[in-house]
Amino acid sequence: MLNRDEYLAAWSRWHGDADTSSPLVRGWLTLAHTLARPLAGMPPVVATAAGLAVAAAAVAPAAAGGAWLIAAGLLVGLSGLLDSLDGALAIGAGRASQRGFVLDSVVDRLTEVAYAGALWVAGAPGWLVVVFGALCWLPDYVRARAGQAGVDRTGPISLWERPTRVVMAALTLGGAGVVSGLEVRGVDGDVLTVTSGAAVGAVLGAVATVQLGWWLRSELAGPEGPGPR
């Protein structure tokens, strides 16, 4: 098993030389590496499947509402840890592959569908949940298309990376459970909380997309390619 610094360097290489100096990203990866060390023999796909299952399981307690929203938030947080654990197991134990990298990315997007679904059944407006979900996907889609266009770097770490999405969804659902039963100007506290959390996530996603697009202006400045000039 690689030590932490070796793991961070390897993770960065697998993600287009992504910067790991951000306290949030570095802390998240360090936590995943710490959890992976005693589980080094476990196949990474087990953690991948478990993360997706746990994310999907968060929808039911979110729909139940009330104090069950706390459980939904905990499940979202756990799914995020499992998602990072599979990468730590694969990279740290030298078992990373292109197939696993693609599978992990697909599962990430599916878990974010589950997060958006949990916010919706907890009371957030449908249109806002759609925007939230789309802006979970859009920055990574832009990066993927930029990679196909020849950009071999991940680019700047934005305000809306995967750890932020997990933390935001988990805290929003958990916080809604804490304030359930309260009312603010006639609006249920849990509904207000999930709506506010989804709105903040959407704003962060929009800012991240603009940030990424601004960086890509220089990376894609050449005349090649079939797209609009």
Side-chain angles (χ1 to χ4, degrees), residues 15 17 81 87 103 146 155 160:
H15 292 81
D17 294 324
L81 285 176
L103 175 63
W160 193 234

Side-chain angles (χ1 to χ4, degrees), residues 39-207:
L39 301 172
M42 186 173 78
V45 70
V46 174
T48 303
L52 179 57
V54 170
V59 177
W68 283 104
L69 288 165
I70 298 175
L74 292 173
L75 288 171
V76 166
L78 178 58
S79 74
L81 285 176
L82 288 167
D83 168 59
S84 294
L85 178 61
D86 67 356
L89 288 169
I91 295 173
R95 290 184 289 184
S97 66
Q98 291 178 325
R99 180 185 300 175
F101 183 78
V102 172
L103 175 63
D104 183 59
S105 297
V106 171
V107 170
D108 284 352
R109 305 291 78 79
L110 293 176
T111 58
E112 286 161 1
V113 171
Y115 300 163
L119 292 172
W120 178 54
V121 298
W127 67 268
L128 181 57
V129 168
V130 170
V131 173
F132 172 90
L135 289 169
C136 283
W137 285 32
L138 186 57
D140 291 286
Y141 175 77
V142 171
R143 280 196 175 110
R145 293 295 288 174
Q148 290 178 326
V151 178
D152 58 2
R153 295 192 295 156
T154 299
I157 299 298
S158 72
L159 295 170
W160 193 234
E161 300 298 337
R162 172 72 175 170
T164 312
R165 298 170 206 163
V166 174
V167 171
M168 174 63 73
L171 290 180
T172 296
L173 291 166
V178 171
V179 302
S180 63
L182 301 178
E183 285 193 5
V184 179
R185 295 184 178 181
V187 180
D188 291 339
D190 51 354
V191 173
L192 180 62
T193 300
V194 294
T195 300
S196 300
V200 170
V203 170
L204 291 176
V207 171

